[in-house]
Amino acid sequence: MRFRPLLPLFVMFSSVCFAVGKYQPVIGDTWQWQLQGTLNTDYNATVYDIDLFDTSWKTIRALHAKRHKVICYFSAGTYEEWRDDKDRFKPEHIGTALDDWKGEYWIDIRARHIKKVMIARLDLAKTKGCDGVEPDNVDGYLKETGFNLTYDDQIAFNRFLAGEAHQKGMIVALKNDLDQVAELVSYFDLAINEQCFEFDECDKLQPFIDQNKPVFNAEYKAEWANNGPLKQRLCDDAKKRQIQTLVLPLALDDSYRYACP
């Protein structure tokens, strides 16, 4: 909470002043989030959030042709044994397994080599034409990673990701990591959150709203997808808070979708 990493002035400027590009997200932008299955490109959403590795540049170009902006998802805090760049990771930087995700392991975000891997992923996003990125699993300091990561380690790594994305002309989303929002909101262009309504955590995202930066939220409770009155109460709360909320399957495979109006 007290540490401020020393960065070159141009990195600090790009992190605080955001990416200079064609798209700057604002409150009122809408979104679609799909990471598995055949991509449905027919939704009327400002932003599509899709998988960096599994989506071709042709698909991204097609989304742009339909006037969508594209945010590309990748995990910045874990090793996934099925990814194309899995061989770039060193064994000593791979830690404990994630409880609910087979084949995925926490990584040592303090390692210089890990930062090089993440820069390569950001380069891939830029090459494919992504307007922005969603680095996931950026709260490892709260988990049993095997590396004893600290609060300050996470702040430094997350700011590093934001600065590198901005240098490459892309926007960047803060994924979850609610306890660090106050220190990171000025470095990120938007927030992407899971289940803030279910866990009564939406107040922690208010700093983004206060800076006219959108909050994209996904909820997974099936009763919100199927029950009219419950869904209406959820959406009324989301509208009041100006949080763009989707009710989605946990698999994020577009098997169903409900967007709060």
Side-chain angles (χ1 to χ4, degrees), residues 7-213:
L7 298 172
L9 288 178
F10 71 88
V11 176
M12 294 174 65
F13 180 84
S14 66
S15 296
V16 176
C17 294
F18 315 119
V20 178
K22 296 181 180 179
Y23 171 58
Q24 188 62 49
V26 295
I27 291 175
D29 287 350
T30 57
W31 75 309
Q32 163 62 359
W33 196 18
Q34 184 180 347
L35 300 183
Q36 297 190 79
T38 302
L39 186 66
N40 184 341
T41 63
D42 293 332
Y43 291 112
N44 182 21
T46 311
V47 174
Y48 263 72
D49 187 346
I50 57 179
D51 190 90
L52 170 61
F53 290 97
D54 294 343
T55 309
S56 70
W57 66 268
K58 290 182 179 179
T59 299
I60 293 173
R61 186 171 65 178
L63 287 169
H64 284 153
K66 291 187 173 185
R67 299 186 179 275
H68 301 294
K69 302 302 180 182
V70 177
I71 291 176
C72 294
Y73 168 97
F74 67 92
S75 181
T78 65
Y79 165 83
E80 299 161 307
E81 61 184 17
W82 61 90
R83 293 301 189 184
D84 295 344
D85 63 353
K86 62 183 184 298
D87 293 336
R88 292 187 178 182
F89 290 81
K90 296 181 179 181
E92 62 266 30
H93 299 149
I94 301 173
T96 57
L98 276 69
D99 292 337
D100 300 324
W101 303 97
K102 185 178 179 180
E104 189 168 0
Y105 304 83
W106 294 103
I107 55 176
D108 188 353
I109 60 172
R110 302 167 299 181
R112 181 177 300 178
H113 182 74
I114 289 296
K115 293 182 174 65
K116 291 180 179 179
V117 174
M118 295 306 137
I119 289 172
R121 290 183 169 188
L122 291 168
D123 286 337
L124 176 62
K126 182 66 176 178
T127 298
K128 284 190 170 185
C130 306
D131 299 289
V133 289
E134 177 204 344
D136 195 11
N137 297 306
V138 292
D139 56 358
Y141 79 101
L142 296 173
K143 316 293 184 179
E144 295 295 331
T145 63
F147 298 111
N148 194 30
L149 302 177
T150 68
Y151 183 101
D152 291 340
D153 291 332
Q154 196 70 64
I155 287 288
F157 183 69
N158 293 357
R159 289 179 177 175
F160 153 79
L161 291 170
E164 290 293 332
H166 287 152
Q167 283 188 66
K168 298 178 191 304
M170 296 181 292
I171 62 170
V172 58
L174 179 64
K175 177 68 171 295
N176 297 327
D177 195 23
L178 294 177
D179 292 340
Q180 296 188 332
V181 164
E183 293 200 58
L184 293 174
V185 61
S186 294
Y187 290 79
F188 287 80
D189 304 282
L190 71 158
I192 293 176
N193 178 262
E194 295 170 292
Q195 299 164 279
C196 81
F197 288 100
E198 180 176 352
F199 297 124
D200 195 23
E201 297 174 327
C202 296
D203 286 346
K204 294 183 178 181
L205 292 159
Q206 186 61 39
F208 278 93
I209 301 298
D210 291 342
Q211 292 193 21
N212 194 32
K213 298 177 180 180

Side-chain angles (χ1 to χ4, degrees), residues 221-240:
K221 288 178 68 172
E223 53 261 46
W224 279 334
N226 300 321
N227 185 296
L230 288 177
K231 183 165 56 181
Q232 187 61 52
R233 285 199 291 272
L234 167 68
C235 290
D236 287 346
D237 195 4
K239 183 177 180 179
K240 180 176 66 176

